[in-house]
Structures are given as structure tokens and as C-alpha cells.
Amino acid sequence: MNISSATFHDPLWLLLLLALPVIVWLRRRRSIPALVVPGAHEWHSPSATSSALWPIVCAYIGIALLVVGLARPQVLVPLEDHQRRGYDFMIAIDLSTSMYAEDFQRGAQTVNRLQAVKPIISAFINERPDDRIGIVVFGGRAYTFAPLTFDHEWLRKQSARLSIGLIEDGTAIGDAIGVSLRRLREGRSEGQPRQGSFIVLLTDGSSNKGSLDPRQAARLAADEEVVVYTIGAGAEGLVPTPIFDYAGNRTGTEMRESEIDSLLLRDVAESTGGLFFRATDANAVRDAFARIDEAQKIEFAASPPLVSRELFHVFALIGVLLLGLASYEAHFRAAREPAVT
């Protein structure tokens, strides 16, 4: 058994061990009874002192072992043959102001594009506990919102904070792919195979900002064997869009032109071996994530989880046996000794 470390679950019980030396000291301070023997030859018996001492020693050791057992000693043992399998995902999310367009339905309620996408992203994170997932957000620039992580509870909380207007307006698709590639590259361990690394890019517009051309970014992704799935979120043409004043208060709704560069998004996806999806409803976004399940999984160089093994029963059993043995010897010694007259 490969033991990683040993510990106590309730170490405060060990303070009771400090009482044992005090008990020994107090016991030795008592008056020592004289040993009355019928003849001088008894002084030469080598067992007279040792036979009287060992039950006491057994009792002290037994009590000490019971105290250690109460502290719940444990050893931490790594699970053997454990490897985490899954994908590396970077999800790039468009937060430009055009994501305010309200052309998605959630039941009977009309919601904007970001509101429609957020629960799907949350469900995607929730259903893939063995995947490393990170988030990049982009508008006029691209930023890392969350690096690759296995801590999906934290990631879901972070994704709930996504809101339109966090960054400058615009649509920098090439930069979003570039930042995602950088994070995937940093997440790879030494000698890690690259199959199984993906970028899922959600946008509702045409690339109009950024320093990296989207098709050039796609070639970089293809060179690194990273598959890019692109999702064009929303309808084209005139769509209802809320109007806000300078204080951020909604003052009305107007119809605005929406244009998605489907040709660009298709070229980016297909040049990396991915697929392009038109997401005029939430089901199309789910379809994009479902298709990724068909890809090959990879192994991560993650440390195996540690499992605690309780040792309480071992210490308790030996302690009870020693106390029982000491009690047995003390009882029968008294019965064997002749009465002193």
C-alpha cells in the first residue's frame, strides 16, 4: 500500500496522553507497601518484582492506545490506476452590445442573446466534471475571464457574473481565438497530446476589431491541432433591441439590423476540423456541445485523489486486549497470593 501521509482526524484527544505521566508520578508518591515473605530465600526470586510490574505497564499502554484511537489516526492512500480523462475547453463568449438583442425565447419569455446562452454554458460545465474548462470574453478586445480549471463550482459562479458591457464594444473574433489558444497552450503539461483541445466561440456579429485576423487565428489553431466550433447566436435582419439612457436605465425598444458573418465563422470552424452552427434558438447551442462529445478524450496528468483509511479499530482493539490482560492478571494474582498472617 502506497501511503502518502498519516494524520489524526481529532488530534485534541491526544492531550489526554499528558495525564499518564502525572498518574505514574502520583502513584509512585504513595506509600510503598512492604513485601512480606515467609523466608529469606524469597528475596532471590527473580520474578517477584517483574511479575508485579508488567500488568501495570500493560494497563498504561492499553490506555495510551485507546486515547490514540479516539484521535482517529488515518493514513492517506492515493487511488491506484486513477487518471482523469476529458477535454480541454476554452469557451469564448461575445459580450458586445449587440448581444442585448431580444430574439431568443425562454418559455413564454423573450430574453436577450446572453441570457439565452448563460444557462446552456452553466449546464455544459455542470455535466462535464472531468473536463478542464476556461472562459474568454471578448468585445473590442479579448480577455481571459477564467483559466482552465477543474473547479467547476467556482467556474459556474464566475459565469453567472457575465454581463454585456464589461469590456469595450466591438467584435474581435481573431483576438478571442488567439487568447484561447494561449490559455490552452499554458494548460498543457509536458508531453501532453494535443488531441482533445477545443475552442467554442459564441458570437452574434462580424469581426470588426482586434489585432489578429480570424482566419489567421484559425490557421494557428489548426497548426496546434485545436478544433474550433463556432456558433452564430441570433437571427439576421431587424431584431428587437432595448434602448438605454446614459445612466443605464432602459427607456424603450427599437428594431436594429443584425448581421452575422456566417461565411467567416464557417471558414474558421471547417479549417480546424470543427463545425459552424446557426443558433437561432437555444437548442442549436446545445447541439454544438453535443457534437463535441464525439471527439476523442485525452488523459490529464492530474494527481490521483487521496482516500483516507481509518486505523481507529487497530489501536482500540490492541488497547482493549492489553487492559483485559492486565485486569485478568491483577484479579488472579490476588486470588493466588496466600493471606498474610
Side-chain angles (χ1 to χ4, degrees):
M1 182 172 61
N2 182 19
I3 298 175
S4 177
S5 62
T7 184
F8 291 95
H9 188 273
D10 301 309
L12 290 179
W13 282 104
L14 297 176
L15 294 176
L16 291 178
L17 294 176
L18 299 177
L20 291 180
V22 177
I23 294 173
V24 173
W25 179 73
L26 291 175
R27 189 176 184 279
R28 291 176 63 89
R29 285 178 58 87
R30 294 188 309 170
S31 297
I32 301 176
L35 179 64
V36 180
V37 295
H41 66 279
E42 293 290 342
W43 291 101
H44 301 287
S45 174
S47 61
T49 303
S50 60
S51 62
L53 183 61
W54 75 262
I56 298 174
V57 174
C58 282
Y60 282 133
I61 295 175
I63 293 172
L65 290 176
L66 285 177
V67 171
V68 173
L70 288 172
R72 288 182 60 187
Q74 301 172 335
V75 292
L76 300 179
V77 181
L79 280 181
E80 297 180 359
D81 300 325
H82 176 83
Q83 289 177 312
R84 303 189 77 162
R85 297 179 60 85
Y87 307 113
D88 265 356
F89 280 107
M90 287 304 300
I91 305 175
I93 304 171
D94 188 348
L95 295 184
S96 61
T97 55
S98 57
M99 291 289 284
Y100 276 126
E102 297 174 337
D103 53 353
F104 277 78
Q105 292 289 131
R106 184 186 297 163
Q109 182 184 7
T110 299
V111 295
N112 66 42
R113 293 166 176 175
L114 182 61
Q115 289 171 332
V117 166
K118 283 171 68 173
I120 297 171
I121 294 172
S122 180
F124 172 76
I125 296 170
N126 188 56
E127 293 168 2
R128 290 159 175 83
D130 289 331
D131 294 338
R132 292 191 299 187
I133 303 174
I135 296 176
V136 166
V137 295
F138 67 99
R141 296 185 182 183
Y143 301 92
T144 301
F145 189 75
L148 286 171
T149 180
F150 283 119
D151 190 351
H152 293 176
E153 180 62 30
W154 173 82
L155 193 62
R156 283 193 296 272
K157 291 178 181 178
Q158 291 296 101
S159 64
R161 296 174 48 236
L162 291 172
S163 62
I164 301 166
L166 281 177
I167 50 184
E168 66 184 74
D169 202 16
T171 308
I173 292 176
D175 287 4
I177 297 173
V179 172
S180 298
L181 283 174
R182 191 181 314 136
R183 294 296 168 255
L184 289 171
R185 203 177 298 127
E186 292 173 356
R188 298 188 191 110
S189 54
E190 196 70 27
Q192 180 87 18
R194 294 178 179 179
Q195 291 82 5
S197 297
F198 301 92
I199 297 173
V200 181
L201 185 140
L202 299 102
T203 183
D204 69 340
S206 302
S207 186
N208 53 28
K209 284 195 175 181
S211 57
L212 185 60
D213 179 77
R215 289 183 172 86
Q216 182 184 358
R219 286 193 294 270
L220 294 174
D223 290 341
E224 297 191 25
E225 299 181 10
V226 175
V227 179
V228 181
Y229 287 82
T230 57
I231 303 171
E236 292 189 273
L238 293 175
V239 294
T241 305
I243 304 172
F244 299 93
D245 59 20
Y246 290 107
N249 301 311
R250 183 168 180 168
T251 59
T253 303
E254 67 178 3
M255 302 300 291
R256 291 183 181 175
E257 187 72 27
S258 174
E259 181 181 354
I260 298 175
D261 194 343
S262 299
L263 179 60
L264 171 65
L265 296 179
R266 189 182 303 276
D267 287 347
V268 167
E270 292 181 353
S271 64
T272 63
L275 294 171
F276 164 65
F277 294 87
R278 279 305 311 274
T280 54
D281 57 62
N283 290 331
V285 182
R286 294 189 181 92
D287 288 343
F289 292 129
R291 292 296 298 271
I292 298 172
D293 285 333
E294 300 173 7
Q296 180 183 0
K297 290 193 174 184
I298 59 174
E299 294 184 357
F300 292 109
S303 300
L306 297 177
V307 179
S308 62
R309 302 284 174 84
E310 294 280 354
L311 299 180
F312 162 80
H313 60 284
V314 177
F315 288 87
L317 179 60
I318 298 175
V320 169
L321 288 176
L322 289 176
L323 284 174
L325 185 60
S327 176
Y328 175 86
E329 176 62 22
H331 175 76
F332 283 94
R333 173 185 295 276
R336 289 197 305 268
E337 290 179 350
V340 178
T341 58

